[in-house]
Amino acid sequence: MGMNKALLTIVAFMTYMVMSGLLTQIGVLISPLAGYLEVSITHAASMFSLLTGGTFAGTFIAMLVYGRFPIKRIFQVNYLAFIGLLILMVTINSRLQWVVSFYLFTLGICCGVGLAGGAVLIANLYNEQKRASAFLATDCSFSLAGFVFPSLAVVLLSANQLWTVSYAAVGVLAILILLACFTLKFPDQSTADKQESQSNGSPPKANIWIPRVFIVALALCCYLTTQTTFLIWAPSYLQQALGLDANQAAGAVGNYWGPSIFGLLIVTLLVIKVPTRPLLLTVIAVAIILASLLYATEDPDWFLTITLGLGFMTSCIFKLGISVGSQQIKNAPPILVTFLLCSATVGSTVAPALSALVVANFGVSSAMLMTVIGFVLVAILISTCLLLEQKARSTIEVQRQAL
């Protein structure tokens, strides 16, 4: 691998880390933001839907711009805007809600555009055989940032720094990406993909709009709603219900993301030998058990320990779900995966506002109950999809025998 290609691969990983650096700090920053704006915790949590909504909007913007403009130029504009927003947020100490809302939404858009660009970059750098391993590494980089930046936020908040400084720390990665845009040679379209498209021609379009696809899409949406709800409210739950101080409670976020890196790597090895469908069902069942233990325990140390297991065992649900969903259509077009990803993103977008509404009406412990219910819904939806899949296969087999 050439040096330029290796550095571009690192740039792609950093686009995922920038997104993770902002999103995974939400649970740690809810209380500081509430104090900063002098609003309730639930209101502060709902404001982060602007950040997640911005990332959702960014993915749609990315669909429009990446086919029309060079990746390099898009990155330059996107991360220059991102860095400028962070500088304004830190230097101009505005405590107006509409100003903070603007910052969160526009930062989210930059993250969404940048992450999509990272995916495009990997697709242009690697052929189909090596692409899967590269995308696995993006998951690991996302989890790594999910451990590093919330942990850094705890240190900065302990040093009496404003919550904006912990977000500004993510800007270091954005600066590195921006520098790479002026020093590295970016690809336009991968030679491998050009050759594949020329040799394969235009494959017949498959109809992806079948019930099983919608069921998997809903399951992925429920999963990201559940995961985001847990990560947002676990620190507050530990403080209010189990009596931990803010610094100790914030460790729950790092406890989730740290082990998730190793969980993803192990699952990557397991799927070589173990069928995806039973593995996915097993992991979801474990998630339900662990979430139930989190809801039932009154020991904060035990809660933090279980969170380690939850991160290790369940962070792979998303990728396994995408894999199963993409297999529902034979020779599925790329739009199927895009649809599944967008459907899942809806979950992380609505989770802050939805969970804040529930917590405002039923208390912070309801967020942990939402986590249990969410995993149960995921299990029901995935099981339903697999049953319909089996029924469809049986029908096809009967038809073949009849012929």
Side-chain angles (χ1 to χ4, degrees), residues 202-232:
S202 299
K205 292 183 179 180
N207 177 29
I208 68 169
W209 311 117
I210 63 173
R212 298 199 307 273
V213 168
F214 288 106
I215 291 172
V216 174
L218 183 58
L220 292 171
C221 179
C222 286
Y223 169 70
L224 280 194
T225 303
T226 303
Q227 182 195 59
T228 306
T229 295
F230 173 76
L231 292 170
I232 287 174

Side-chain angles (χ1 to χ4, degrees), residues 91 199 202 326:
T91 56
S199 61
S202 299
S326 64

